[in-house]
Structures are given as structure tokens and as C-alpha cells.
Amino acid sequence: MGKLSIDQLRERVRGAVATPDDESYDEARKVHNAMIDRRPAAVVHCANAGDVMAAVDFARENGLDLAVRGGGHSVPGFGTCDGGVVADLSGMRGVRVDAAARTARAEGGATWGDFNAATYAFGLAATGGIISTTGVGGLTLGGGIGYLARGLGLSCDNLISADVVTADGRLVVASEEENADLFWALRGGGGNFGAVTSFEFRLSPVKDIYGGPMLFELADAPTVLRSFADLIADAPEELGGFPAFQIAPPLPFIPADRHGDTFALIVACWSGPLDEGERALQAFHDIAPVVAEHVGPMPYPALNSAFDALVPPGLQHYWKANFVTELTDDVIDAHLRHAPGLPAVNSTVHIYPINGACHRVAPDATAFAYRDASFATVIAGMWPDPADNETATAWVRDYYDATAAHSEEGGYINFMADDDQDRIRSNYKGNYDRLVAVKRAYDPENLFHLNQNIRP
């Protein structure tokens, strides 16, 4: 293994180290996307920041690839590698809430389910994603779009500080006061700059919300998309949610004879006063006849985990993404041509609004550059059978090609595939050169390259 042996690594860390000779190895090397089947030389189950430092040192000193795994949801499989070292932070899931200061500190392996469970008790929240098993770290480092983004901003906009293990094995604090250039880059620049062992967030008063999914006939999709875009442009910022396309799963609120049919959806989230929720969502109900819905008051964590069952570990994944400034007729027509071909009930297309508070942050204030985009689209191909890989992947690519012609050049890095490296500069627009400079300062040898990579 070079300068340091596996035995020496084991002596340095508190957590277990899994290698190919260990019974735990096959489980340790798994990631969420079953399309990814890689065999690292070692998986370090990090118990603390010191273990992360040791894993980084081991990879650097032995000239090995380094993968950093938090929630493990990376669709391109950036949380693992062949022949290298995986710093697996998934055992570091603590979340500590300071209710008086309205802040929370989450360890690098925490999921949004962990985070929401801790903050809900105090009636507080920060913008998380749509699936509660998503890692706090990966979502935040890429930006962080979620139900609360219109009112609270992106996840990265609520970040106060981060503890970061840099490529030279040091643990540093990144904030507006310390290592401010690194702090700027972490907010949207992905995992390019180090392994983040904890995140400190600003919290806001959000506890119970009013919302849920509403299903519309596919024939009404043009009206649904156009009306949603018009309504959300100047809606109160407490109103979040998104339009989508989805095959109906066998849920009790959906008529049994419609299970398996493809629908247009609006998934709504009103985070203002509960007694105003029904009125706030009425405009969505008035767009077109609602076939089925599961809408009402609920804890925010319940909505944030409502789709978890559709995204279990072990599916095949291939995703594509783009930003749009408006849902033009051409964009909508492209959606209508391809959405009916959803390859499985797990697959979906979401069109997230990112206006409101997201637009009040300057495009160069954080690494997340697309502050003028109104929507972030994800074409999330997910299906259980590897035999469908070729046809399902082709569906995603064809759908993306059709929408890309009418979209911005860049897209949201959290939704990018492993064949999107040529879009890196476009994803960051005017922020790219500054990101390169920060990369050179903190990772000049590109140790942290298993990501949507910004090369030094």
C-alpha cells in the first residue's frame, strides 16, 4: 500500500477499516446507486474528525484516489472508487440544536431525516431536500434546493460555518471570519475543497406545514405547468413546492384503477400559518380537476420524507439536470413529449422553483451562480432492474437533449451524471475562475477529484 500500511491506518482511527479480506467489505462498499459497483482498497468508517484526517493522510501519502461519502446518494457514485480509499462519514450523524441561538450543528454523515428530527422538536428548520435519506453534506455543498428554499434560501445560504479537513490533513474552520475564501467556495462548489466533518446552520421557525401532492391528468399538464409558473412568480414566499411527472404508486388516496397511470403533479408546501394553508393552496386546486390528493396539515419532516419509499437503496440511477429562467412553450412541449415515457414508478421529473429568497443572494456571493434561474429541472431516472439500463438511460438522455435546447447552459451539480464533466465551467458561470483559485489554494494536487471536478 506504499508509505503507510492498512495496519498502521487501523491503529490511527477509532472506526473500523474494511478491506477486501473482511466479511463486512461488500456491505461497506455499497452506495445508493446499484449501477455503481466499485472495489476500494479500504473503507474507513470514520467515527470522528480525527478519523477523517487519518483517511485523507493515508490516501495522499499513498498516492491513492480518495472518495468522501456522507449520505451516499451521489448518483455518479462519487462516494466510492476502485482501488482507493473511502472516507465513510455515514456513522457521524449527530445533530445538536441551540434553540436560543436558532442554530444547529450537523456532523458530516447526517441525513436530512436526522436533521429534521432534531430541529422539529424546537419548531425550527432549515432548507433541506425532497428525500430525507439524502445527506446534509452533499446537498448543502452543491447548493441545496428544497421545499423551503423560496422563503429561507438554499441550504448553503443558511450555512454559518463548516469544519473542513483539507488535502494536507488539517482541520480548519470555514466561515465569514475564518478562511472566508474556502467558505465562499463550499457554498455550491461541491466536494472539491475538502471533507466537511460538521456544518453549522441558521434555523428558522418552521414546524407543521400545510401541503402534499395533488395529481392531475396528463392531458392537463400544459395548463398545470404554465399556471404553476405564473402563480409561483409572485406567490408569498411561505409557499413552496414544485410541479412534477410521476407514475402513480399503489397508495390508498389514489383510486385503485389509476395505479400505474402517469400523472402531472403539484407537490405543495405552505410553511406559513396553518389556518391559511387551505386558502394558500386553493389556486393550485383551481388550475384543473384534481384526480387525487393527500393534502393537509402535517409535520414538516413528514413531507420531507413522503417520497422516501420510492427511492430505496439498490435502484439503478441515471439523472440529468438543467436550469431555466422561464417555462416557455418550447420547454413545456419537450416535457410533454418525454414525460409519458417514465421508465418505472421510481422515476420522476421535478421542476423546482428557486426564486424568492434564492434571488436575493448575489450570483457572486456564493459559488452557486444561477441566482437568475427560476427553475431547476431534474430528470431522475430510477428503476430496479439492471436489464432496463440501456433503454432507461436513453430515455433520460433523450429527455435532457430535448429540454436542454431551451434551457440555460449550466445545471445544478447535485443532479449531474458522471458524464457531465464538460459542463463544469457552465455550471458556475462567472464564479468558475475564482473557484479554480480557491482549489489551487486548498487542494493544488486535486486529491478531492471524485466530484463534479474543478481542476486546479
Side-chain angles (χ1 to χ4, degrees), residues 47 83 124-125 134 138 158 166 203 247 250 288 322-323 354 359 400 450 456:
L124 298 168
T134 302
N158 292 278
T166 54
L203 302 177
I247 296 173
N322 49 42
F323 289 118
I354 47 172
H359 281 186
Y400 167 74
L450 295 178

PDB file of all heavy atoms in Angstrom, residues 47 83 124-125 134 138 158 166 203 247 250 288 322-323 354 359 400 450 456:
ATOM      1  N   ALA A  47     -15.318   7.676  12.717  1.00  0.00           N
ATOM      2  CA  ALA A  47     -16.081   7.927  13.932  1.00  0.00           C
ATOM      3  C   ALA A  47     -16.006   9.378  14.371  1.00  0.00           C
ATOM      4  O   ALA A  47     -16.825   9.826  15.178  1.00  0.00           O
ATOM      5  CB  ALA A  47     -15.581   7.021  15.060  1.00  0.00           C
ATOM      6  N   GLY A  83      -9.897   0.799  -6.031  1.00  0.00           N
ATOM      7  CA  GLY A  83      -8.503   0.758  -5.615  1.00  0.00           C
ATOM      8  C   GLY A  83      -8.046   1.868  -4.705  1.00  0.00           C
ATOM      9  O   GLY A  83      -6.861   1.938  -4.355  1.00  0.00           O
ATOM     10  N   LEU A 124     -38.169  24.395  14.591  1.00  0.00           N
ATOM     11  CA  LEU A 124     -37.208  25.082  13.742  1.00  0.00           C
ATOM     12  C   LEU A 124     -36.825  24.196  12.558  1.00  0.00           C
ATOM     13  O   LEU A 124     -36.966  22.975  12.612  1.00  0.00           O
ATOM     14  CB  LEU A 124     -35.951  25.438  14.542  1.00  0.00           C
ATOM     15  CG  LEU A 124     -36.158  26.388  15.732  1.00  0.00           C
ATOM     16  CD1 LEU A 124     -34.915  26.433  16.608  1.00  0.00           C
ATOM     17  CD2 LEU A 124     -36.530  27.793  15.250  1.00  0.00           C
ATOM     18  N   ALA A 125     -36.317  24.821  11.494  1.00  0.00           N
ATOM     19  CA  ALA A 125     -35.902  24.062  10.310  1.00  0.00           C
ATOM     20  C   ALA A 125     -34.955  24.907   9.476  1.00  0.00           C
ATOM     21  O   ALA A 125     -34.846  26.127   9.651  1.00  0.00           O
ATOM     22  CB  ALA A 125     -37.110  23.648   9.467  1.00  0.00           C
ATOM     23  N   THR A 134     -31.307  11.723   2.060  1.00  0.00           N
ATOM     24  CA  THR A 134     -30.221  12.469   1.428  1.00  0.00           C
ATOM     25  C   THR A 134     -29.282  13.019   2.493  1.00  0.00           C
ATOM     26  O   THR A 134     -29.725  13.480   3.554  1.00  0.00           O
ATOM     27  CB  THR A 134     -30.797  13.631   0.608  1.00  0.00           C
ATOM     28  OG1 THR A 134     -31.692  13.107  -0.373  1.00  0.00           O
ATOM     29  CG2 THR A 134     -29.706  14.429  -0.075  1.00  0.00           C
ATOM     30  N   GLY A 138     -23.727  16.509   1.179  1.00  0.00           N
ATOM     31  CA  GLY A 138     -23.742  16.575  -0.272  1.00  0.00           C
ATOM     32  C   GLY A 138     -24.719  17.601  -0.798  1.00  0.00           C
ATOM     33  O   GLY A 138     -24.412  18.371  -1.716  1.00  0.00           O
ATOM     34  N   ASN A 158     -28.009  29.117   4.263  1.00  0.00           N
ATOM     35  CA  ASN A 158     -28.228  29.054   5.703  1.00  0.00           C
ATOM     36  C   ASN A 158     -27.017  28.518   6.453  1.00  0.00           C
ATOM     37  O   ASN A 158     -27.071  28.328   7.666  1.00  0.00           O
ATOM     38  CB  ASN A 158     -29.447  28.177   5.991  1.00  0.00           C
ATOM     39  CG  ASN A 158     -30.738  28.813   5.503  1.00  0.00           C
ATOM     40  OD1 ASN A 158     -31.313  29.657   6.174  1.00  0.00           O
ATOM     41  ND2 ASN A 158     -31.194  28.428   4.316  1.00  0.00           N
ATOM     42  N   THR A 166      -8.774  19.519   5.114  1.00  0.00           N
ATOM     43  CA  THR A 166      -8.215  19.899   3.829  1.00  0.00           C
ATOM     44  C   THR A 166      -7.257  18.826   3.317  1.00  0.00           C
ATOM     45  O   THR A 166      -6.957  17.850   4.010  1.00  0.00           O
ATOM     46  CB  THR A 166      -7.498  21.253   3.942  1.00  0.00           C
ATOM     47  OG1 THR A 166      -6.544  21.198   5.005  1.00  0.00           O
ATOM     48  CG2 THR A 166      -8.500  22.368   4.227  1.00  0.00           C
ATOM     49  N   LEU A 203     -31.210  28.463  11.660  1.00  0.00           N
ATOM     50  CA  LEU A 203     -32.544  27.869  11.636  1.00  0.00           C
ATOM     51  C   LEU A 203     -33.620  28.947  11.619  1.00  0.00           C
ATOM     52  O   LEU A 203     -33.384  30.078  12.053  1.00  0.00           O
ATOM     53  CB  LEU A 203     -32.750  26.969  12.855  1.00  0.00           C
ATOM     54  CG  LEU A 203     -31.759  25.812  13.036  1.00  0.00           C
ATOM     55  CD1 LEU A 203     -32.068  25.059  14.328  1.00  0.00           C
ATOM     56  CD2 LEU A 203     -31.803  24.867  11.839  1.00  0.00           C
ATOM     57  N   ILE A 247     -45.452   8.316 -12.219  1.00  0.00           N
ATOM     58  CA  ILE A 247     -46.359   7.167 -12.315  1.00  0.00           C
ATOM     59  C   ILE A 247     -46.976   6.954 -10.943  1.00  0.00           C
ATOM     60  O   ILE A 247     -46.274   6.947  -9.932  1.00  0.00           O
ATOM     61  CB  ILE A 247     -45.596   5.907 -12.770  1.00  0.00           C
ATOM     62  CG1 ILE A 247     -45.041   6.107 -14.181  1.00  0.00           C
ATOM     63  CG2 ILE A 247     -46.495   4.677 -12.702  1.00  0.00           C
ATOM     64  CD1 ILE A 247     -44.127   4.980 -14.635  1.00  0.00           C
ATOM     65  N   PRO A 250     -49.140   2.517  -5.779  1.00  0.00           N
ATOM     66  CA  PRO A 250     -50.377   1.982  -5.186  1.00  0.00           C
ATOM     67  C   PRO A 250     -50.615   2.518  -3.782  1.00  0.00           C
ATOM     68  O   PRO A 250     -50.488   1.798  -2.781  1.00  0.00           O
ATOM     69  CB  PRO A 250     -50.126   0.463  -5.181  1.00  0.00           C
ATOM     70  CG  PRO A 250     -48.639   0.332  -5.074  1.00  0.00           C
ATOM     71  CD  PRO A 250     -48.067   1.497  -5.844  1.00  0.00           C
ATOM     72  N   ALA A 288     -56.915  22.885 -12.553  1.00  0.00           N
ATOM     73  CA  ALA A 288     -57.560  21.825 -13.335  1.00  0.00           C
ATOM     74  C   ALA A 288     -58.158  20.839 -12.343  1.00  0.00           C
ATOM     75  O   ALA A 288     -57.832  20.876 -11.151  1.00  0.00           O
ATOM     76  CB  ALA A 288     -56.537  21.135 -14.250  1.00  0.00           C
ATOM     77  N   ASN A 322     -30.950  20.682 -15.657  1.00  0.00           N
ATOM     78  CA  ASN A 322     -30.679  21.981 -16.250  1.00  0.00           C
ATOM     79  C   ASN A 322     -31.470  23.064 -15.514  1.00  0.00           C
ATOM     80  O   ASN A 322     -32.383  22.767 -14.735  1.00  0.00           O
ATOM     81  CB  ASN A 322     -30.971  22.011 -17.755  1.00  0.00           C
ATOM     82  CG  ASN A 322     -32.324  21.438 -18.109  1.00  0.00           C
ATOM     83  OD1 ASN A 322     -33.312  21.693 -17.433  1.00  0.00           O
ATOM     84  ND2 ASN A 322     -32.380  20.663 -19.191  1.00  0.00           N
ATOM     85  N   PHE A 323     -31.063  24.295 -15.727  1.00  0.00           N
ATOM     86  CA  PHE A 323     -31.767  25.457 -15.196  1.00  0.00           C
ATOM     87  C   PHE A 323     -32.558  26.120 -16.319  1.00  0.00           C
ATOM     88  O   PHE A 323     -32.121  26.125 -17.477  1.00  0.00           O
ATOM     89  CB  PHE A 323     -30.786  26.497 -14.644  1.00  0.00           C
ATOM     90  CG  PHE A 323     -30.093  26.107 -13.372  1.00  0.00           C
ATOM     91  CD1 PHE A 323     -28.717  25.978 -13.329  1.00  0.00           C
ATOM     92  CD2 PHE A 323     -30.820  25.897 -12.205  1.00  0.00           C
ATOM     93  CE1 PHE A 323     -28.069  25.646 -12.146  1.00  0.00           C
ATOM     94  CE2 PHE A 323     -30.173  25.563 -11.019  1.00  0.00           C
ATOM     95  CZ  PHE A 323     -28.804  25.437 -10.994  1.00  0.00           C
ATOM     96  N   ILE A 354     -36.792  28.242  -7.818  1.00  0.00           N
ATOM     97  CA  ILE A 354     -35.688  28.750  -6.998  1.00  0.00           C
ATOM     98  C   ILE A 354     -35.662  30.277  -7.077  1.00  0.00           C
ATOM     99  O   ILE A 354     -34.619  30.879  -7.280  1.00  0.00           O
ATOM    100  CB  ILE A 354     -34.330  28.140  -7.407  1.00  0.00           C
ATOM    101  CG1 ILE A 354     -34.129  28.186  -8.936  1.00  0.00           C
ATOM    102  CG2 ILE A 354     -34.198  26.725  -6.917  1.00  0.00           C
ATOM    103  CD1 ILE A 354     -32.721  27.780  -9.359  1.00  0.00           C
ATOM    104  N   HIS A 359     -33.194  34.443  -4.978  1.00  0.00           N
ATOM    105  CA  HIS A 359     -32.831  35.524  -5.892  1.00  0.00           C
ATOM    106  C   HIS A 359     -32.278  36.746  -5.163  1.00  0.00           C
ATOM    107  O   HIS A 359     -31.720  37.641  -5.814  1.00  0.00           O
ATOM    108  CB  HIS A 359     -34.039  35.935  -6.727  1.00  0.00           C
ATOM    109  CG  HIS A 359     -34.308  35.013  -7.869  1.00  0.00           C
ATOM    110  ND1 HIS A 359     -35.268  35.265  -8.821  1.00  0.00           N
ATOM    111  CD2 HIS A 359     -33.742  33.826  -8.233  1.00  0.00           C
ATOM    112  CE1 HIS A 359     -35.294  34.281  -9.707  1.00  0.00           C
ATOM    113  NE2 HIS A 359     -34.373  33.389  -9.357  1.00  0.00           N
ATOM    114  N   TYR A 400     -33.380  14.899 -21.722  1.00  0.00           N
ATOM    115  CA  TYR A 400     -32.474  16.011 -21.435  1.00  0.00           C
ATOM    116  C   TYR A 400     -32.137  16.789 -22.709  1.00  0.00           C
ATOM    117  O   TYR A 400     -32.173  18.027 -22.729  1.00  0.00           O
ATOM    118  CB  TYR A 400     -31.191  15.510 -20.776  1.00  0.00           C
ATOM    119  CG  TYR A 400     -30.125  16.566 -20.745  1.00  0.00           C
ATOM    120  CD1 TYR A 400     -30.204  17.632 -19.860  1.00  0.00           C
ATOM    121  CD2 TYR A 400     -29.065  16.528 -21.649  1.00  0.00           C
ATOM    122  CE1 TYR A 400     -29.252  18.634 -19.856  1.00  0.00           C
ATOM    123  CE2 TYR A 400     -28.111  17.526 -21.653  1.00  0.00           C
ATOM    124  CZ  TYR A 400     -28.204  18.577 -20.756  1.00  0.00           C
ATOM    125  OH  TYR A 400     -27.261  19.564 -20.777  1.00  0.00           O
ATOM    126  N   LEU A 450     -12.924  13.272  -6.922  1.00  0.00           N
ATOM    127  CA  LEU A 450     -14.090  12.435  -7.199  1.00  0.00           C
ATOM    128  C   LEU A 450     -15.340  13.243  -6.858  1.00  0.00           C
ATOM    129  O   LEU A 450     -15.925  13.144  -5.785  1.00  0.00           O
ATOM    130  CB  LEU A 450     -14.012  11.138  -6.399  1.00  0.00           C
ATOM    131  CG  LEU A 450     -12.832  10.236  -6.789  1.00  0.00           C
ATOM    132  CD1 LEU A 450     -12.779   8.992  -5.927  1.00  0.00           C
ATOM    133  CD2 LEU A 450     -12.903   9.847  -8.267  1.00  0.00           C
ATOM    134  N   PRO A 456      -7.499  22.307 -10.435  1.00  0.00           N
ATOM    135  CA  PRO A 456      -6.675  23.434 -10.021  1.00  0.00           C
ATOM    136  C   PRO A 456      -5.825  23.976 -11.179  1.00  0.00           C
ATOM    137  O   PRO A 456      -5.590  23.287 -12.145  1.00  0.00           O
ATOM    138  CB  PRO A 456      -5.791  22.849  -8.915  1.00  0.00           C
ATOM    139  CG  PRO A 456      -5.777  21.373  -9.186  1.00  0.00           C
ATOM    140  CD  PRO A 456      -7.105  21.038  -9.818  1.00  0.00           C
TER     141      PRO A 456
END
